[in-house]
Amino acid sequence: MGIDPNYRLRPVSGEHGGHKVYGKVDPPKVLGVHGTIVGVDFDICIADGSCITACPVNVFQWYETPGNPVSEKKADPINENACIFCMACVNVCPVAAIDVKPP
């Protein structure tokens, strides 16, 4: 199914690591979408690490999410402002949990 490309229209539920979090959040099961320029749907991210490896500008870092039923860590777009829009992360994500849009 993948990330909802319209997630930016959802209510902002908070901030984390300098970026917005969109949608409902009810830890540890529901974590929302993190990031505006580079959005990662924490509810479907399986933490295989392919986006971290593929990104040439280190947008992502691991974020621990203990108790989450999908994975106990997520690829957090902590440095989304460094994104060069190469789309490498989008292309390698096996569950299509990432959406990239210029500001």
Side-chain angles (χ1 to χ4, degrees):
M1 180 161 170
I3 189 171
D4 173 6
N6 296 312
Y7 78 86
R8 293 166 189 87
L9 300 176
R10 295 179 186 173
V12 174
S13 58
E15 287 198 16
H16 166 256
H19 58 263
K20 293 178 182 176
V21 178
Y22 295 86
K24 183 179 176 186
V25 174
D26 186 16
K29 293 183 180 180
V30 180
L31 302 174
V33 179
H34 288 239
T36 301
I37 298 167
V38 179
V40 178
D41 189 333
F42 272 27
D43 297 324
I44 61 175
C45 174
I46 61 169
D48 80 324
S50 58
C51 58
I52 292 174
T53 303
C55 182
V57 293
N58 299 313
V59 165
F60 306 95
Q61 71 177 233
W62 288 120
Y63 179 69
E64 298 295 321
T65 56
N68 183 264
V70 179
S71 65
E72 294 206 339
K73 63 182 178 177
K74 305 294 179 178
D76 195 11
I78 197 80
N79 194 21
E80 69 175 348
N81 288 320
C83 182
I84 59 173
F85 311 103
C86 69
M87 308 304 277
C89 60
V90 171
N91 293 330
V92 299
C93 182
V95 293
I98 304 170
D99 185 56
V100 175
K101 284 198 175 75

